[in-house]
Amino acid sequence: MGHNQESHPESHFRVPAIVDALQEMHLTSKFRGSEVIELQNFEPASVDDIASVHARAYVSGLEKAMDQASEKGLIFIDSSGPTYATATTYRESIVAAGAGLALVDSVVAASKISRDPPTGFALIRPPGHHAVPQGPMGFCVFGNVAIAARYAQRVHGLKRVFIIDFDVHHGNGTNDAFYDDPDIFFLSIHQDGSYPGTGKFDEVGSGAGEGTTLNLPLPGGSGDTTMRTVFDEVIVPCAQRFKPDIILVSAGYDGHVLDPLANLQYTTGTYYTLASNIKQLSKELCGGRCVFFLEGGYNLKSLSYSVADTFRALLGDPSLASEFDDPNILYEEPSTKVKQAIQRIKSIHSL
């Protein structure tokens, strides 16, 4: 909770808002018993874990910068945007990354004894998918998903990792970390023209990794119908062809129609469907091994309700999205532009 700037969209109110909603809707272990397992007492990520993705000079530099942050209370650590640090940021960032690694351990262990292991969800911040190998960016400090992908390979021998990033912004950090790696497939669906301006159709990977990066920029106004089509026509065939050993998800909730930082019009129901479909895909392709990682989402209400509906999907409960979503605020999706975008990506990737 120490990593916080009050007026900043990525403030320390985000995770407590989610936890409150989960408790209110009886989605915690207190109400669900062994259906919801909360991991306690896990280790922070080690420097070696972080350095599997990030330059060691950045990791040690951030640790040293904590003295300066202690003196000033708050410092900015990202030259291109508003990524801040406080005296506890380094510690909290290695704990956040460590939570992801503990979930990978837990899901992998469960998959050895059950055909239907639980899905992991890391309710963590600061988020990670913009953090590039050389440093922080776009509210993100360490690439939590990227670090978990390398860990799954190194520690568990899960060679092929499929990463789905449905945050409204392009996960440029994850993209860059694995751009030439044929064993990690990075698939990002984001709003065209949004921060940080990367993630174009033709960014498909390089060298041995050519074809294992897929970027689908969607036109503003895309919503639930678009995402359903993208899942069926892009995500599923890509995953089936890649044959992953584990699926990791950069779960950003800032594509919600109520979110202030972009203008897609996903609904709470969109996230329910996505989570349900991803869980099913992981059961079909990789023994149910799947971990979600919280990324963006800055309207506390839509964020917390959408994560709660994600939990419902993962638990096999019916959606309560209709109690929260207001169909009257939605407008017509740009179906012609969407169709063109989907056709283009299918042609580039031979889907």
Side-chain angles (χ1 to χ4, degrees), residues 53-172:
V53 169
H54 294 287
R56 284 182 185 270
Y58 163 47
V59 184
S60 57
L62 181 68
E63 191 176 15
K64 289 193 187 99
M66 291 300 95
D67 293 342
Q68 191 191 350
S70 293
E71 282 165 36
K72 296 187 175 175
L74 185 88
I75 57 172
F76 287 92
I77 54 174
D78 161 10
S79 57
S80 69
T83 312
Y84 63 86
T86 62
T88 57
T89 293
Y90 178 80
R91 172 74 192 166
E92 291 178 14
S93 298
I94 60 173
V95 168
L101 306 186
L103 283 168
V104 169
D105 288 341
S106 188
V107 163
V108 171
S111 74
K112 289 175 178 165
I113 52 172
S114 165
R115 292 177 67 93
D116 188 16
T119 305
F121 198 116
L123 287 173
I124 52 173
R125 50 176 297 277
H129 73 153
H130 293 309
V132 293
Q134 299 304 322
M137 187 174 170
F139 311 170
C140 299
V141 178
F142 294 139
N144 301 313
V145 163
I147 291 162
R150 284 284 181 241
Y151 180 86
Q153 289 179 319
R154 191 177 70 251
V155 174
H156 294 291
L158 300 173
K159 188 183 177 200
R160 296 170 76 73
V161 183
F162 193 75
I163 300 172
I164 301 168
D165 187 331
F166 60 70
D167 190 279
V168 79
H169 304 108
H170 178 235
N172 60 298

Side-chain angles (χ1 to χ4, degrees), residues 48-339:
D48 285 347
D49 293 327
I50 307 285
S52 67
V53 169
H54 294 287
R56 284 182 185 270
Y58 163 47
V59 184
S60 57
L62 181 68
E63 191 176 15
K64 289 193 187 99
M66 291 300 95
D67 293 342
Q68 191 191 350
S70 293
E71 282 165 36
K72 296 187 175 175
L74 185 88
I75 57 172
F76 287 92
I77 54 174
D78 161 10
S79 57
S80 69
T83 312
Y84 63 86
T86 62
T88 57
T89 293
Y90 178 80
R91 172 74 192 166
E92 291 178 14
S93 298
I94 60 173
V95 168
L101 306 186
L103 283 168
V104 169
D105 288 341
S106 188
V107 163
V108 171
S111 74
K112 289 175 178 165
I113 52 172
S114 165
R115 292 177 67 93
D116 188 16
T119 305
F121 198 116
L123 287 173
I124 52 173
R125 50 176 297 277
H129 73 153
H130 293 309
V132 293
Q134 299 304 322
M137 187 174 170
F139 311 170
C140 299
V141 178
F142 294 139
N144 301 313
V145 163
I147 291 162
R150 284 284 181 241
Y151 180 86
Q153 289 179 319
R154 191 177 70 251
V155 174
H156 294 291
L158 300 173
K159 188 183 177 200
R160 296 170 76 73
V161 183
F162 193 75
I163 300 172
I164 301 168
D165 187 331
F166 60 70
D167 190 279
V168 79
H169 304 108
H170 178 235
N172 60 298
T174 318
N175 182 102
D176 294 359
F178 306 128
Y179 204 63
D180 57 1
D181 189 330
D183 294 323
I184 296 186
F185 196 111
F186 175 66
L187 188 154
S188 177
I189 309 126
H190 46 274
Q191 186 183 328
D192 193 14
S194 64
Y195 179 89
T198 50
K200 306 293 187 214
F201 287 97
D202 59 1
E203 292 175 36
V204 297
S206 67
E210 191 176 331
T212 55
T213 297
L214 184 150
N215 285 299
L216 176 50
L218 294 172
S222 299
D224 192 66
T225 305
T226 300
M227 183 50 96
R228 286 168 189 263
T229 310
V230 166
F231 194 87
D232 292 342
E233 297 189 16
V234 180
I235 296 175
V236 169
C238 270
Q240 286 173 337
R241 186 165 69 188
F242 184 68
K243 298 184 177 62
D245 297 314
I246 188 169
I247 295 175
L248 304 180
V249 185
S250 270
Y253 292 85
D254 39 7
H256 197 285
V257 63
L258 297 178
D259 199 274
L261 292 200
N263 60 339
L264 293 185
Q265 44 174 351
Y266 298 158
T267 62
T268 313
T270 310
Y271 294 112
Y272 178 90
T273 306
L274 256 176
S276 183
N277 289 346
I278 291 170
K279 180 176 169 110
Q280 184 58 33
L281 195 62
S282 75
K283 277 172 77 169
E284 289 167 12
L285 298 179
C286 53
R289 289 184 289 273
C290 182
V291 182
F292 285 65
F293 293 73
L294 183 65
E295 298 283 4
Y298 305 102
N299 173 313
L300 295 180
K301 207 155 189 201
S302 62
L303 168 67
S304 51
Y305 273 81
S306 297
V307 174
D309 231 43
T310 298
F311 270 54
R312 284 181 187 288
L314 300 177
L315 287 161
D317 289 6
S319 170
L320 286 185
S322 59
E323 293 182 15
F324 180 70
D325 290 334
D326 177 4
N328 298 319
I329 63 172
L330 302 174
Y331 49 96
E332 198 177 338
E333 294 182 41
S335 53
T336 306
K337 283 183 175 172
V338 167
K339 203 173 276 182

